[in-house]
Amino acid sequence: MSRQFLFDGQPVPFEDGQTILQAAHAAGHYIPHLCWHPDFPPHGSCKLCIVKVGGRHVSSCALPAKEGMEVESNTPEINGERRALLQMLFVEGNHFCPSCEKSGNCQLQALAYDLEMLTPRFNHFFPDRPVDASHRDMLLDFNRCIFCELCVRASRDVDGKNVFALTGRGIHKHLAVNAESGRLADTDFAADDLAANICPVGVILHKRVGFAVTIGKRKYDAKPIHTVALEEGE
Amino acid sequence: MDNAARDARRPKLRVATTSLAGCFGCHMSLLDIDERLFDLVELVDFDRSPLTDIKHCGPCDIGLIEGGVCNAENVHVLREFRRNCKILVAVGACSVNGGLPAQRNHLDVGACLQQVYQYREGVAGAQIPSDPELPLLLDKVRPIHEVVRVDYFVPGCPPSGDALWKFLTDLISGRTPRLSHPMLHYD
Amino acid sequence: MGRLDASQLAAQACTRNGGDATRLLQVLIDVQEKAGWLSAELISAVAAELGVPRVRVEGVAGFYSFLYTEPVGNYRVLFSDNITDRMLGAPELMDALCGKLWVERGKLSEDGLVSVDTTSCTGMCDQGPALLVNGRPLTRVDHRRVNQIAELIRRKEPLYAWPSELFRVDDNIRRRDALLGPDQRPGEALRAALTRGREDWLAQMRLSNLRGRGGAGFTTAVKWQACRDAAGADKVVVCNADEGEPGTFKDRVLLSSFADQVFEGMTLAAWAVGAQRGFLYLRGEYRYLLDHLQHVLARRRSAGLLGNAILGETGFDFDIDIHLGAGAYVCGEETALLESLEGKRGTPRIRPPFPVTHGYLGRPTVVNNVETLAKTTLIALHGGEAFAATGTAQSTGTKLLSISGDCAYPGIYEYPFGVSIEHVLEDCGASDVQAVQVGGASGMTLASYEFHRRIAFEDVPTAGAFMIFDSSRDMFEVARNFVHFFAHESCGFCTPCRVGTSLLDNYMNKLASGYGAKMDLADIEWINRLLRQSSHCGLGSSAPNAVVDALVKFRPAFERHLRNLDFEPAFDLNAALAGARTAAGRDDPGAFLDREQETTR
Ligand SMILES: Cc1cc2nc3c(=O)[nH]c(=O)nc-3n(C[C@H](O)[C@H](O)[C@H](O)COP(=O)(O)O)c2cc1C
Ligand code: SF4
Ligand code: SF4
Ligand code: SF4
Ligand code: FES
């Protein structure tokens, strides 16, 4: 008999080494997440995946499941906290969805819909983050970065290129590219790199394909992210 | 319709609307509720609004604000609404987070004015208008919740007629307004 | 600097560091000491020399406050911004110095000579206000010293020619007990432990019930045993000398005057767990102690207390390397410290796994505080039972307190655990005390009705800071200072802390400017909760402590800053019109917005 834990009162089986999030997804229970990606080890930065285990908040993407755990996830309390984390992500950057090519295909936005975020609530930082349009095929709009480091990890661990890394600290943290000029054009970045196709939000964009899909046909138009994610295994 | 009929016996709610730094798109969306507009006017009277031409907001039940706050005039109007409306609603992306106008926020407003009025080709040497009638620009375009207390938010650029209808009928009939997929969108 | 010079400098620094990419941070510190700042060329050169991606070097260079990727002056003056320094007049002194040198705070002077700014607590709270000039601590700043410093800088006097009295740092030991009292001969404790044999030594550690002095209070023997039992041969012992907690300076005194005990404690840990490598991670602010510490290490090596076959024991090989930090409080968190030791950005790791199984370069690693390690020498000398005889049941032995703030005799006090706050206050000559901040910015704010409480893990735990505030102090300002500290020091890894600490900072500034509203307090409380519950590490989860305590215990101090019971705009409306007002040259009434009351309905 496989071992199990309780997820919002439902038994969920798990295998050794599986995290709470992995096991929950496998059993058809969605846990919100942004920095976690099925093909990479957990990162643990966005904190959207927080759940409560024995009264304590933990990151479900990183914590290995244990026999008999009682996990609370889809509760008003935790969803309220998740919504507030989303609001923080919205106010720290510049997210103007109507003019963003990622709109409709964006995980941050889709999650905000799912958690019924109606307002960014907090006061906006309105940071000044110039766009890098130097590359022939790709555009970087740093205004929308949520620092999930998926591009960093993909470029380093899969593409073998190290095009990206984070620099700065705290609220001044930002994405940097691997060139003394600081320009993407001066790196060996290519449009078919995994890193060029992994950004969950609208930072790393392909030129000349913007707004290609009509409204209504985009990834999260028809179905909410909690359905899409489980269907697509992401 | 029976809901509306029942509500018709109640005194009508007074609603004011305005557009600050917005494009009237949200107002257009309100008109987009089509024939339900007739139901709506059964339930509410409009106070100050581009739909009525009343110039100042009197005591109201609901104030709908389109657009963010980009200048001193917007602040005055917004305050007038806050003072007079029991419930203040941010309608549309610009009102909720500054929207497209806020994309100027990384620019220095003084330098912008100089660029436009003084350095641009053809206007070299001209003055930045200083007419006291002209509202001064704020350094940043702000969502309205950073200037006054806001009770509800209806995002969307613009929110769909359906979303506005759902929101207003919820509110008018005393339900907690709720927007979720697919009526909730930011674009 | 030309590209050629850059490559040369980088090559030399890399050679001095064995071309080892895990020493990247040490290389950058080294290069900067020669070049003043890290130009784009230097960063490229270091990357090429170490064979690591340039962007990784840029990432590390951008993380640490004391690494500069913009040009800096020949003289860099950084005033310690801890609340105790501020209470001693640091802000006015800084303004005075800026005025004398014709510089704006945080900006490089036009001639490129000097910059003046603030930095997080430099650990000189008992002899403040303090500052760092080119990394060297300068204590007891007053107006006379400000004049003197301004003059020395204007004359371009090199630092070595400045009067050494300016740089005097005192120990200020006011109460000695088991650790600070008796003299120990180097090697004495180690010999005693070797005589006992490894098993008995660990047994003594267990008996002592020594708990970590770095803050968390984890039982040291359990940690050591876990590391010892962990699979993997290359075990590591790390001494955490990052001492970044505002108001804490006891590790500085131990490193200055009891370095032998600290290194001996590390060696005792190595003996217990079977480690061969040791690191002391020294905060950048204590860079001035480096030569002294290296000297002590050299002496111990020649005395056979470090190196191969220590004290003749075959197979007992252990040596210690000192790594410098560069201005990042989060690097005191043990997993961030390990990242930093590996030459990376100081981002805390996901736990589990814990350092005892996966630490430095994935090896089983013990991380202990300076004081914890020094204390182990007492256990080796006198046995675990004797150690456990003082203190309380759950908090054995003594604790060093770093006392500062409103009292007659600030300095280091060693007490057996269990001492009451009252007792300490009396000893240090404090009167009319309103509050005591125990454990630093991340600790507890105690109000006068709590002064009967005791310093112990089971009551008021502490890493050692003890800051005293008399009734003239504004507890709101105290909390605001701490909030600002956390916002500045957040590593930025996780959402709640990266954004939440900055939001809190903004709210506190809003209140301070006199435009707070009730709703701001509600927002502050909500953000506090998010920080506590969802942060990735202890920095974020303890960041709201001081605000939470102050809101509960000193609420009037907050309410004084409220202008409105309901709502106030998020920003200063009039200031927001200033740009356009100036550009249009207007000063008519319509060019201003009053802060009229926002009525609710
Ligand atoms: C943000 C943060 C900063 C810390 N700073 C220090 C420090 O400066 N010195 C220290 O010894 N421990 C510090 N700690 C605690 C360490 O993570 C770790 O618990 C300690 O070094 C273990 O040693 P000990 O068991 O001997 O106390 C810090 C923890 C956090 C979360
Ligand atoms: S990245 Fe996502 S949330 Fe941000 S602006 Fe684009 S669509 Fe909106
Ligand atoms: S650019 Fe995209 S993938 Fe990279 S860190 Fe930012 S949000 Fe993540
Ligand atoms: S809590 Fe703060 S310091 Fe800790 S990981 Fe998160 S951002 Fe970094
Ligand atoms: S998904 Fe777990 S922290 Fe981001």
Side-chain angles (χ1 to χ4, degrees), chain B residues 84-117:
Chain B
N84 286 293
C85 301
K86 287 187 190 146
I87 293 172
L88 197 68
V89 188
V91 179
C94 303
S95 182
V96 168
N97 77 351
L100 296 190
Q103 287 182 299
R104 76 147 156 95
N105 283 357
H106 62 279
L107 301 172
D108 179 82
V109 88
C112 258
L113 289 170
Q114 284 179 334
Q115 186 61 39
V116 171
Y117 289 105

Side-chain angles (χ1 to χ4, degrees), chain A residues 90 95-97 100 102-103 106 108-109 144 201-202:
Chain A
F90 271 84
H95 293 272
F96 301 112
C97 298
C100 176
K102 194 76 175 187
S103 193
C106 168
L108 176 67
Q109 186 192 57
R144 305 158 184 156
V201 295

Side-chain angles (χ1 to χ4, degrees), chain A residues 140 142 144-152 164 166 175 195 198-204:
Chain A
L140 297 179
F142 300 108
R144 305 158 184 156
C145 186
I146 56 167
F147 312 110
C148 66
E149 290 187 62
L150 275 167
C151 58
V152 177
F164 300 105
L166 292 175
L175 197 62
I198 203 165
C199 182
V201 295
V203 180
I204 305 178

Side-chain angles (χ1 to χ4, degrees), chain C residues 50 59 88 92 127 156 193 195-196 224 245 291 304 314 360 375 476 482 496 500 507 553:
Chain C
L50 290 177
L88 291 164
E92 299 76 41
Q127 44 209 301
K156 304 194 177 139
T195 314
R196 288 182 195 276
W224 287 13
E245 190 62 55
D291 287 347
T314 1
Y360 175 72
K375 291 271 158 74
F476 167 81
F482 294 155
Y507 276 115
K553 300 173 188 174

Side-chain angles (χ1 to χ4, degrees), chain B residues 148-169:
Chain B
V148 296
R149 190 172 55 71
V150 177
D151 301 296
Y152 293 102
F153 300 84
V154 185
C157 186
S160 65
D162 287 346
L164 283 169
W165 175 250
K166 164 90 165 60
F167 173 82
L168 286 171
T169 46

Side-chain angles (χ1 to χ4, degrees), chain A:
Chain A
M1 221 194 83
S2 85
R3 298 182 299 153
Q4 62 180 37
F5 63 91
L6 282 182
F7 183 85
D8 285 336
Q10 312 254 60
V12 165
F14 71 96
E15 285 154 27
D16 266 340
Q18 259 187 330
T19 59
I20 296 173
L21 185 145
Q22 283 171 322
H25 280 201
H29 303 284
Y30 175 70
I31 301 179
H33 58 84
L34 285 171
C35 68
W36 180 79
H37 187 288
D39 300 339
F40 288 88
H43 187 58
S45 69
C46 74
K47 300 299 172 201
L48 260 296
C49 69
I50 46 168
V51 295
K52 240 163 117 171
V53 177
R56 276 192 52 229
H57 286 66
V58 299
S59 306
S60 65
C61 71
L63 195 73
K66 273 209 207 77
E67 175 76 40
M69 265 180 171
E70 292 186 25
V71 179
E72 286 173 55
S73 175
N74 195 9
T75 66
E77 179 198 354
I78 296 169
N79 284 336
E81 288 160 2
R82 290 175 179 148
R83 195 179 305 121
L85 292 170
L86 288 174
Q87 289 166 325
M88 288 183 173
L89 289 170
F90 271 84
V91 297
E92 85 164 317
N94 293 308
H95 293 272
F96 301 112
C97 298
S99 56
C100 176
E101 294 174 29
K102 194 76 175 187
S103 193
N105 301 307
C106 168
Q107 277 188 37
L108 176 67
Q109 186 192 57
L111 207 47
Y113 295 165
D114 220 25
L115 291 165
E116 297 182 27
M117 184 192 111
L118 300 174
T119 160
R121 186 182 193 280
F122 299 116
N123 300 327
H124 287 74
F125 289 82
F126 293 127
D128 181 11
R129 299 189 190 157
V131 169
D132 180 345
S134 63
H135 194 274
R136 200 166 53 103
D137 304 318
M138 303 297 300
L139 176 84
L140 297 179
D141 190 333
F142 300 108
N143 289 295
R144 305 158 184 156
C145 186
I146 56 167
F147 312 110
C148 66
E149 290 187 62
L150 275 167
C151 58
V152 177
R153 295 180 273 162
S155 187
R156 181 188 62 210
D157 303 339
V158 180
D159 303 330
K161 287 188 178 178
N162 289 292
V163 172
F164 300 105
L166 292 175
T167 187
R169 189 174 81 197
I171 198 71
H172 306 294
K173 187 168 84 160
H174 59 276
L175 197 62
V177 301
N178 195 20
E180 191 177 294
S181 64
R183 287 160 22 110
L184 189 64
D186 298 329
T187 69
D188 52 355
F189 195 48
D192 57 357
D193 285 356
L194 180 60
N197 300 285
I198 203 165
C199 182
V201 295
V203 180
I204 305 178
L205 298 166
H206 290 257
K207 286 185 174 173
R208 297 177 290 278
V209 296
F211 305 105
V213 185
T214 49
I215 294 187
K217 296 251 162 47
R218 299 168 307 182
K219 187 164 179 182
Y220 301 109
D221 280 339
K223 295 178 191 167
I225 191 169
H226 67 258
T227 312
V228 178
L230 290 177
E231 283 173 3
E232 319 252 317
E234 48 179 47

Side-chain angles (χ1 to χ4, degrees), chain C residues 412-477:
Chain C
I412 299 294
Y413 291 68
E414 183 181 13
Y415 286 106
F417 266 116
V419 66
S420 71
I421 308 286
E422 276 157 348
H423 187 126
V424 176
L425 288 172
E426 199 173 307
D427 284 0
C428 68
S431 57
D432 192 19
V433 179
Q434 172 181 203
V436 179
Q437 182 74 18
V438 184
S442 67
M444 282 164 110
T445 316
L446 299 179
S448 54
Y449 57 82
E450 298 170 286
F451 290 171
H452 62 282
R453 295 181 64 180
R454 291 169 189 281
I455 301 285
F457 294 108
E458 58 269 43
D459 189 0
V460 181
T462 176
F466 194 102
M467 292 180 270
I468 303 167
F469 306 99
D470 71 20
S471 62
S472 70
R473 306 296 178 183
D474 180 354
M475 293 310 289
F476 167 81
E477 280 302 327

